[in-house]
Amino acid sequence: MDIKEVQQKKAGGDLVLIYENKLTSKEDIKDFILEGEAAITFPQGRMRLENKLAAEEGQKANYVLWCPEEFPSDIMITWDFYPIREPGLCMMFFAAKGKEGKDIFDSSLQKRTGEYIQYHHGDINAFHVSYFRRKEPDERGFHTCNLRKSYGFYLTSQGGDPIPDVADAKPPYHIAVIKKGNIVIFMIDELEVFRFEDNGESYGPLLEGGKIGFRQLAPFIGEYANLKVFQLNAE
C-alpha cells in the first residue's frame, strides 16, 4: 500500500485533487503572499525558505508564506519536506480565516508581519501544526509535533516527531494533514502522528474552509516540494 492509499484510508473517503504546485521556481509562487521577511530561493529545484533578519531579533525574524487559494472544509494537504539547517521549527497553517468569516487578506484586518502573537491572538482563526521543532532546548531533547487552534493558543493534540535531526535525516519526508468534519489527522511517511477530534466547544467553534500557509522560525532553513490539496468525498 503506497502513501496515497494510506492517506485515503485515513481520510475515510474519495480524494479529488483540487490544487497542485510543484514549488520548483519563483513562477510557481508568484501569487503567494509573504508576511515578514524571508529569502525564498530554488537552488535544488525546490522551494527553500530562509530568514532574512537575524535570529537574534526573535519573532521579528519569523515569517509566514500563504498560498492564495481558498479551500473547502474537508481536505487533505500533502507536501515533501527537506530539513536543511537547524535549530528552528516549521508550521503549516490551515483552515485560516479572518474573524467573522472574512478572507485573511481583508483590508479591515490587522496587518501581520510574521510575529506569532498576530496569528494566535490577532483577528484570524486557524489550525497550526508545528513539526521539526528544534528551537528551544527542551524541543531539541524531546521531539514532538503539536496542533494548536486559534483564536487562542490552545494545544489540542501532540505526538512524537519521527524525523531525525538534520545530520541523520534522509529526506524527502512525505507529510499530510487531513481535515474532515471535526477530525484532524497529521501523518509523516504514512505514520499517524496524532489525531484530534474537535467538539466545537472546548477550543471555539469548528473551523471551515480557509487558506493554508508555511511558517518557519529563524534560523531554520527548509525546503518544500510537491504541494497538493485534495478535496474529500467530492461529488
Side-chain angles (χ1 to χ4, degrees):
M1 182 178 291
D2 63 21
I3 187 168
K4 185 175 179 180
E5 291 174 313
V6 171
Q7 292 164 347
Q8 186 165 343
K9 184 177 180 181
K10 293 287 186 182
D14 295 331
L15 303 178
V16 177
L17 182 65
I18 58 174
Y19 179 81
E20 182 174 14
N21 192 324
K22 299 292 188 183
L23 303 176
T24 59
S25 68
K26 288 184 178 180
E27 181 67 17
D28 288 340
I29 62 164
K30 64 180 181 180
D31 296 324
F32 280 42
I33 298 169
L34 177 65
E35 296 174 346
E37 296 190 42
I40 307 176
T41 57
F42 300 84
Q44 304 295 327
R46 301 184 291 266
M47 184 176 72
R48 175 175 289 192
L49 299 182
E50 182 176 2
N51 53 294
K52 274 189 175 179
L53 302 179
E56 289 72 23
E57 295 198 36
Q59 283 293 330
K60 291 182 179 180
N62 304 327
Y63 48 88
V64 178
L65 180 65
W66 292 103
C67 174
E69 302 295 327
E70 190 80 5
F71 293 109
S73 294
D74 293 346
I75 59 173
M76 181 173 74
I77 312 157
T78 67
W79 67 97
D80 293 338
F81 171 65
Y82 299 74
I84 305 298
R85 184 185 74 186
E86 50 188 272
L89 66 78
C90 307
M91 287 187 186
M92 170 60 77
F93 283 90
F94 59 101
K97 279 191 174 183
K99 61 183 180 181
E100 300 175 352
K102 296 177 181 178
D103 186 281
I104 62 170
F105 303 121
D106 190 287
S107 60
S108 67
L109 302 183
Q110 302 169 12
K111 182 180 178 181
R112 300 180 298 272
T113 56
E115 298 179 53
Y116 196 26
I117 194 170
Q118 299 167 348
Y119 300 85
H120 62 73
H121 276 86
D123 49 12
I124 69 171
N125 299 309
F127 280 112
H128 27 120
V129 57
S130 59
Y131 60 100
F132 203 80
R133 300 172 66 246
R134 309 291 197 276
K135 183 66 173 174
E136 304 299 334
D138 61 327
E139 295 170 348
R140 296 197 295 271
F142 187 73
H143 302 163
T144 63
C145 301
N146 295 346
L147 179 69
R148 293 187 182 273
K149 184 180 178 182
S150 301
Y151 180 88
F153 192 56
Y154 299 113
L155 178 61
T156 63
S157 194
Q158 189 175 58
D161 186 350
I163 302 177
D165 293 341
V166 167
D168 298 314
K170 295 181 179 180
Y173 293 97
H174 306 291
I175 300 184
V177 172
I178 297 169
K179 179 182 177 293
K180 182 181 180 184
N182 67 333
I183 304 294
V184 174
I185 301 170
F186 184 64
M187 299 174 64
I188 298 177
D189 279 358
E190 305 183 20
L191 174 69
E192 184 174 312
V193 177
F194 60 69
R195 178 183 296 243
F196 168 60
E197 184 172 350
D198 193 347
N199 62 19
E201 297 179 0
S202 301
Y203 310 111
L206 298 180
L207 301 183
E208 299 182 354
K211 289 183 165 60
I212 66 174
F214 296 96
R215 176 177 172 82
Q216 281 188 186
L217 269 63
F220 182 76
I221 298 177
E223 292 182 351
Y224 306 84
N226 300 317
L227 175 64
K228 297 180 181 180
V229 180
F230 300 84
Q231 186 170 359
L232 306 182
N233 293 327
E235 295 295 335

